[in-house]
Amino acid sequence: MLIETYADLICPWCYIGKRRLARALADRPRVQVELRWQPFQLNPDMAAGGMERSAYLAAKFGGTERARQIHLVVEETAERDGLPLRLDRIRRTPNSFDGHRLIRIATRHGLGDRMADALFHAYFVDGLDIGDRDTLAATAAGLGFDFTEIKNLLNGDAETTAVLNADATARQLGLQAVPCYIFNRRYALSGAQEPASFLPLLDLGVEEQEGVTAAAD
């Protein structure tokens, strides 16, 4: 079963949703899954260097107090899912475009899913600026990539067209919020759903695959 996850690296609900999908898959060990990351930028017009966090939150939520209330809900939800976020450490809201490029680079080596996890952790737990190419290269080095090679790729145009095209496809599909999960390019599930919400679609995929196999026999 192909599961395409449309998500953004600056979206905490995408991080939570990723963990919940993993829990659902653990409950269905017989499901053979290909996980494929698909980029979606919540702030496609963000400056390349990002922006100061407090200014971003004030613009997005109408003030720091409202942002604090929302952050508290997010952190409490994440902690229940085993993700102890530290949103107070974040000093800049980054442009996530290069992060999406890095995931596609890692995907060439079968490490796209692990790279997404590493970038989520770098941002939401360590408070690092994942729009900074040195930070991205250092994160990749933690997964065994060569720092200089990754930095050179990011300084070039590696995967730029692919990320732009994938983001454009998401908007053509009508996506306005993430996370969104597409199963076998037929069924969609939006939002950071509880693990149980994924199970019917996983079971449906198994039934369809078994039906195809039976027909072939």
Side-chain angles (χ1 to χ4, degrees):
M1 166 176 273
L2 172 64
I3 302 178
E4 295 173 282
T5 300
Y6 285 87
D8 198 357
L9 292 162
I10 65 167
C11 168
W13 296 109
C14 294
Y15 193 17
I16 293 169
K18 190 175 187 302
R19 173 60 62 90
R20 291 177 173 178
L21 173 58
R23 287 168 54 195
L25 291 173
D27 284 341
R28 292 295 187 270
R30 69 192 183 105
V31 180
Q32 297 183 5
V33 172
E34 176 188 353
L35 297 174
R36 188 175 300 171
W37 179 274
Q38 297 290 9
F40 184 91
Q41 285 190 279
L42 290 170
N43 303 308
D45 298 322
M46 175 68 73
M51 67 183 296
E52 200 271 329
R53 182 69 169 174
S54 61
Y56 174 80
L57 294 177
K60 184 176 179 65
F61 298 115
T64 55
E65 178 57 27
R66 177 59 178 160
R68 188 192 67 79
Q69 294 171 358
I70 292 172
H71 279 179
L72 183 61
V73 172
V74 170
E75 289 177 335
E76 290 176 346
T77 302
E79 188 168 3
R80 289 195 297 270
D81 281 85
L83 294 171
L85 307 189
R86 289 295 307 272
L87 301 182
D88 59 301
R89 292 178 173 174
I90 300 173
R91 294 292 176 262
R92 294 192 68 77
T93 296
N95 182 309
S96 59
F97 188 78
D98 282 344
H100 289 299
R101 293 171 61 209
L102 180 57
I103 290 175
R104 293 189 73 93
I105 291 168
T107 298
R108 301 177 192 168
H109 303 274
L111 294 173
D113 194 58
R114 287 185 60 194
M115 185 64 75
D117 271 330
L119 292 174
F120 275 132
H121 189 279
Y123 185 57
F124 288 114
V125 180
D126 298 330
L128 299 179
D129 181 0
I130 58 169
D132 176 75
R133 289 176 178 173
D134 283 333
T135 299
L136 291 172
T139 302
L143 295 182
F145 290 93
D146 180 82
F147 178 97
T148 301
E149 180 180 359
I150 293 297
K151 183 74 177 294
N152 288 339
L153 288 171
L154 293 175
N155 284 339
D157 61 359
E159 301 295 342
T160 293
T161 299
V163 170
L164 288 172
N165 289 343
D167 189 276
T169 296
R171 297 177 198 281
Q172 290 167 5
L173 291 172
L175 267 66
Q176 296 180 334
V178 286
C180 182
Y181 308 89
I182 310 294
F183 295 76
N184 283 341
R185 295 184 173 169
R186 296 178 62 186
Y187 312 106
L189 186 64
S190 296
Q193 302 286 340
E194 293 290 341
S197 299
F198 293 99
L199 299 181
L201 288 171
L202 294 175
D203 292 338
L204 181 61
V206 171
E207 292 171 5
E208 290 182 345
Q209 183 58 45
E210 290 177 346
V212 169
T213 301
D217 292 341

